[in-house]
Amino acid sequence: MPKAVWKGKVIAEVEEGKCQKVEGNVYFPPESLNRQYFKESAKTSGCPWKGLANYYTVSVDGEDNANAAWYYANPKPAAANIKGHVAFWKGVQVS
């Protein structure tokens, strides 16, 4: 069962086969997030084939990990399978 952990808290967890793997990143479906640990961020970035990425700041026990999660709300057609799915970096452990 894939899960994402930061500061000892499970911030996302999903049944096997319900996440997407793209370019080495595991993308969790939005319903798998423990929403209490996520805050919208103003940061965006672009990918030539996936489109515009939006970010979340992950917050656990009062400590913020700015822009540690990203997702594509409206991806380009080639990345339609990850629409709304969330991936992690910046110290978030995915296993």
Side-chain angles (χ1 to χ4, degrees):
M1 182 173 286
K3 64 182 174 180
V5 177
W6 191 64
K7 296 288 181 187
K9 301 288 185 183
V10 176
I11 60 173
E13 189 169 22
V14 67
E15 292 176 29
E16 196 70 45
K18 292 199 174 185
C19 53
Q20 300 288 323
K21 193 165 187 182
V22 177
E23 297 180 323
N25 295 303
V26 176
Y27 284 81
F28 289 77
E31 63 274 9
S32 70
L33 304 181
N34 290 320
R35 291 277 177 187
Q36 71 267 26
Y37 299 122
F38 293 83
K39 297 189 282 190
E40 292 282 346
S41 170
K43 180 177 173 59
T44 60
S45 64
C47 172
W49 73 273
K50 291 186 292 254
L52 182 70
N54 299 94
Y55 289 79
Y56 291 116
T57 289
V58 175
S59 183
V60 171
D61 296 332
E63 189 172 345
D64 288 347
N65 190 347
N67 309 313
W70 75 93
Y71 65 98
Y72 294 88
N74 295 296
K76 292 184 176 183
N81 62 314
I82 60 169
K83 181 176 182 169
H85 285 54
V86 179
F88 300 94
W89 66 327
K90 297 181 80 175
V92 176
Q93 299 297 310
V94 175
S95 59

